[in-house]
Amino acid sequence: MSFHKYESLNYVEETSHARSANPLWRFDQYNHPREIPRRRTLAKWIITFILGTTMAFTSLAMAAASTNIQGVKLWFIFNAFGTASLPTLTSIFLCFAASNLLFSLLATAIVMIAGRGVSQSTVFEVVCYLNGVDMPGFLSVRTIFAKVLGSTLALSGNLLVGMDGPLLHVGGSIAAVFGNANGSKWWRELKLLRYFRDDKSRRDLVTYGTAAGFTAAFGSPVAGFLYALEISSWWRVEMTWRAFVTCAITGAVIHAVARICHKDAAFGYFTGDLWQFPNVDYSTDEDPMLLLAQTAVLGLLAGLLGAAYIKLNAKRRAWQTRRFGARLGPRVMETMLISLMTSAAFLYFPYLHSIGCKECSDDHATSPDCVPGSAKFAQFATRLCHDPRHYNDLAVLFFNPQGESLKALLASTNGDFRAPTLLLFSGVYIVLSLISHGMAVPSGVIIPSLLAGAGGGRLYGRALRRLALGSQSPNEALFALLGAAAYSGGIMRSLPCLCIMLLEVTGQIHQFHLVLLVLLVSKSVADRLSDSLSKSEMRGERVPMLPVTAPPSFHRGPLSATTARSGSPSANARQRPGQRAATPDRDSGRRQRPGTSRDGGRTANATATRDSERDSDPGQRATARPRTRHATATQDSER
């Protein structure tokens, strides 16, 4: 794979001389010497407001569409075939799998038509763009529509892909379109966009769009701002307020519209309170030191799982590229196989697990106080039980949308989910999210990792109670919160934004020290074993990105002139301490023939060969003495 598809961008501030050499800049300054800075500042704030509002409505539209499609699909299946029993189970599975397969294939078709840059999470491409490496074509209007439609169809098909990755890409693409990165002629002639025709201005807008995309995915303005600050290496003070205001506008619009959707039943199965958690008691009577030890052990286990996830994902990605590449047939067959596996797991596991359905103490089985999750999806959790006043706890987690399932895990009390339920749910989500991440559909990994980590955290709390390690009734909701933070941190390695996001959506600021501890342990363990997910994907795509620290081969000492001529760093790497490095001739004004030096006409290759032979012979290297300053001056005067 060659590097011709990448482009290096210039984010360095232009000097006054470079600006004065630009005829367009001179023309604007001559005609409007005072209005240009004011208009530029006003245009930036206008686009900031438009970005925040657009991303809020985009996120709400995607969530409402996918939730309603899932609800209508389940309602039609269970009303057509009744309660799931052994005679009707095959018919229910065929209808359920056919509908999921249809939505999955439509999402794959959109991705294959729009291009390869729409598939998978593409978060690493946004990170590359913000750090100076552009992949032409991945920020365009076509990408916006393909990402929105493809992600909505993939979620409607019950695929284990998150909405976070597509929203980050959509936010950056909308900002790039406003920044005139791929605009048409009439779009480029808009006066509002005349100030964003350079790489630096477009980079600023993409930064604001990425922050708004993270905020739209989780409803967390502060976390969105921290995420943009974390992945961007080019940051200025004036970007701080604009990025934060963009995130604040996005969060305010989301919560305002969600409140309207919650009061009005005209939005169907979409309740609007996607990231609005109820007041949950996360307090515990555990000993503080023992609780810190239990948190550290949970972070250790989650870090190991996160590193294993990234290793397996890199191997799967390399095998998939080597075996199939970008051919249409294998990608379609992969989508069909994963969709059928997901449908079978979502239907057969709850049915086989329905022997021990939990009894609902309330008179109405669909009461939200009885069945965890969304009240409008509670009716489907009772269709797999023989008694209508019982519900299937595994069906609650599988049939609800991803946001409602996460809310059920983080906000439920002790005993709402059984230990086999949590084990099955976490295992299915870890395996299926791993193989679904490489499909030809828009996908994200943060929300599936939060779900798998929350289920594993609850299971960890149940194991502590069974082993009698600490309190007899540990708070399972607290360990679900810590497990979600630990597993997602072991994969993403984004410590500040994940910590603030979980505390912001749950409102549990007094658990800050525990969440921060489990994230630190998980990230430290995972960093010792593998790179982050973004770095792993950059290496798989061979993106020409410089690492944060230089490789060890660059720390072998100063580069001498002989080594620079020969191109071999081995001679200079073995240079003894105190030995004076060779320097180029000071009399550079004289002309010399190519390939010759001034001291006797030896060529550079001959000099490098003599140095390497001397270094390879221990006896000769011991007797060789460096030239002193006096000897050097004498030879120069004689010459």
Side-chain angles (χ1 to χ4, degrees):
M1 184 182 299
S2 60
F3 294 155
H4 69 276
K5 63 179 181 180
Y6 303 112
E7 178 186 359
S8 178
L9 302 179
N10 181 21
Y11 292 157
V12 182
E13 296 281 350
E14 292 184 352
T15 60
S16 58
H17 176 73
R19 285 196 301 266
S20 61
N22 189 347
L24 296 178
W25 184 85
R26 288 202 310 259
F27 178 79
D28 287 340
Q29 291 296 321
Y30 180 78
N31 291 280
H32 308 282
R34 297 182 179 178
E35 288 80 1
I36 291 298
R38 299 175 183 176
R39 292 178 181 177
R40 184 184 294 112
T41 303
L42 180 61
K44 289 180 179 180
W45 284 109
I46 291 176
I47 292 184
T48 295
F49 178 80
I50 296 175
L51 271 177
T53 308
T54 305
M55 285 310 304
F57 283 105
T58 302
S59 173
L60 290 171
M62 292 172 62
S66 59
T67 302
N68 281 308
I69 290 176
Q70 292 182 40
V72 171
K73 177 179 61 178
L74 293 174
W75 175 85
F76 175 78
I77 291 175
F78 284 112
N79 282 350
F81 299 100
T83 303
S85 58
L86 189 59
T88 61
L89 186 62
T90 303
S91 302
I92 292 177
F93 171 72
L94 291 177
C95 187
F96 184 67
S99 59
N100 289 340
L101 185 61
L102 174 63
F103 292 121
S104 302
L105 289 177
L106 287 176
T108 302
I110 291 175
V111 167
M112 300 304 291
I113 292 174
R116 181 182 173 278
V118 183
S119 63
Q120 303 179 10
S121 65
T122 61
V123 175
F124 76 98
E125 296 182 354
V126 179
V127 176
C128 292
Y129 184 87
L130 294 181
N131 291 275
V133 179
D134 184 20
M135 302 178 187
F138 92 103
L139 295 176
S140 60
V141 179
R142 181 177 60 179
T143 302
I144 297 173
F145 289 102
K147 277 284 187 179
V148 172
L149 293 178
S151 178
T152 303
L153 291 172
L155 292 173
S156 303
N158 288 105
L159 294 178
L160 298 190
V161 292
M163 199 171 56
D164 49 278
L167 282 175
L168 287 174
H169 197 173
V170 168
S173 299
I174 293 176
V177 170
F178 279 116
N180 199 21
N182 295 285
S184 57
K185 182 178 180 181
W186 66 270
W187 187 261
R188 290 195 299 267
E189 292 178 354
L190 290 179
K191 293 184 178 180
L192 181 64
L193 306 179
R194 62 185 299 185
Y195 310 106
F196 309 105
R197 295 177 180 175
D198 57 312
D199 293 337
K200 182 177 68 66
S201 299
R202 287 195 293 269
R203 185 277 321 271
D204 294 348
L205 293 180
V206 173
T207 304
Y208 307 151
T210 304
F214 193 93
T215 303
F218 300 102
S220 175
V222 180
F225 167 74
L226 290 177
Y227 182 78
L229 181 63
E230 187 176 356
I231 66 175
S232 179
S233 60
W234 302 82
W235 196 269
R236 303 191 314 277
V237 177
E238 65 181 35
M239 294 174 60
T240 303
W241 277 109
R242 293 194 183 98
F244 189 78
V245 169
T246 306
C247 297
I249 293 173
T250 305
V253 173
I254 285 178
H255 289 296
V257 177
R259 191 176 297 109
I260 298 174
C261 297
H262 185 71
K263 295 180 180 179
D264 194 353
F267 292 91
Y269 290 91
F270 181 66
T271 57
D273 52 350
L274 187 61
W275 296 105
Q276 297 178 5
F277 284 72
N279 295 325
V280 184
D281 184 16
Y282 284 91
S283 61
T284 179
D285 55 351
E286 195 71 64
D287 181 74
M289 299 304 298
L290 183 59
L291 183 59
L292 291 177
Q294 295 171 352
T295 303
V297 173
L298 179 60
L300 173 64
L301 297 176
L304 295 175
L305 287 176
Y309 179 94
I310 293 175
K311 291 284 188 182
L312 293 175
N313 180 69
K315 293 182 179 296
R316 177 204 54 77
R317 189 186 188 96
W319 177 83
Q320 183 184 37
T321 304
R322 183 177 64 254
R323 185 86 178 197
F324 303 123
R327 290 181 294 174
L328 178 62
R331 303 309 300 268
V332 172
M333 293 298 297
E334 178 190 28
T335 301
M336 295 176 63
L337 179 61
I338 295 177
S339 178
L340 291 176
M341 291 173 57
T342 305
S343 301
F346 273 41
L347 188 62
Y348 280 106
F349 281 157
Y351 178 78
L352 297 176
H353 197 60
S354 62
I355 300 175
C357 286
K358 295 183 66 63
E359 183 179 1
C360 186
S361 59
D362 198 277
D363 295 336
H364 302 285
T366 59
S367 174
D369 297 331
C370 175
V371 182
S374 175
K376 297 185 178 181
F377 281 84
Q379 55 177 322
F380 307 121
T382 63
R383 298 298 183 94
L384 296 178
C385 299
H386 300 287
D387 192 346
R389 295 189 63 243
H390 290 67
Y391 70 94
N392 192 315
D393 52 352
L394 186 58
V396 169
L397 299 177
F398 278 152
F399 289 165
N400 273 276
Q402 293 180 355
E404 297 292 344
S405 299
L406 182 61
K407 187 187 301 184
L409 288 170
L410 295 181
S412 299
T413 57
N414 292 354
D416 285 346
F417 298 100
R418 295 169 290 173
T421 298
L422 299 172
L423 181 61
L424 269 175
F425 175 77
S426 301
V428 167
Y429 251 81
I430 290 175
V431 174
L432 289 183
S433 63
L434 174 62
I435 63 177
S436 300
H437 184 63
M439 294 176 59
V441 296
S443 63
V445 74
I446 299 181
I447 296 179
S449 64
L450 289 174
L451 282 162
R458 272 189 170 270
L459 184 63
Y460 180 76
R462 297 289 293 270
L464 291 178
R465 184 176 63 178
R466 180 63 62 90
L467 297 175
L469 297 177
S471 176
Q472 294 297 325
S473 58
N475 196 334
E476 297 179 8
L478 174 61
F479 284 104
L481 175 66
L482 298 178
Y487 185 61
S488 58
I491 294 177
M492 297 302 298
R493 318 289 169 84
S494 299
L495 190 147
C497 67
L498 288 176
C499 179
I500 297 301
M501 183 267 293
L502 288 172
L503 297 179
E504 195 171 1
V505 298
T506 57
Q508 302 296 324
I509 193 63
H510 54 278
Q511 303 296 342
F512 175 78
H513 61 291
L514 295 178
V515 177
L516 186 60
L517 173 63
V518 78
L519 276 170
L520 283 172
V521 174
S522 175
K523 183 180 182 301
S524 302
V525 172
D527 282 339
R528 299 289 296 178
L529 301 176
S530 67
D531 291 329
S532 64
L533 183 62
S534 298
K535 291 183 180 179
S536 175
E537 291 178 343
M538 290 179 193
R539 183 178 293 108
E541 292 292 330
R542 298 185 62 187
V543 179
M545 283 280 292
L546 292 176
V548 179
T549 57
S553 59
F554 284 78
H555 299 283
R556 294 180 179 178
L559 186 65
S560 63
T562 303
T563 306
R565 293 193 192 101
S566 63
S568 174
S570 58
N572 192 63
R574 293 189 295 269
Q575 187 177 2
R576 291 177 295 175
Q579 182 177 355
R580 183 173 179 267
T583 58
D585 294 330
R586 287 177 291 273
D587 190 8
S588 58
R590 299 179 183 178
R591 293 185 179 181
Q592 60 180 4
R593 290 176 297 175
T596 61
S597 62
R598 303 187 187 282
D599 48 355
R602 292 192 303 268
T603 61
N605 293 332
T607 306
T609 305
R610 188 199 63 180
D611 293 341
S612 61
E613 291 176 355
R614 184 182 60 194
D615 290 340
S616 61
D617 188 2
Q620 186 178 359
R621 183 177 59 197
T623 58
R625 299 181 62 184
R627 297 168 59 188
T628 61
R629 184 177 303 176
H630 178 70
T632 304
T634 304
Q635 293 181 6
D636 290 342
S637 61
E638 292 176 357
R639 187 167 60 245

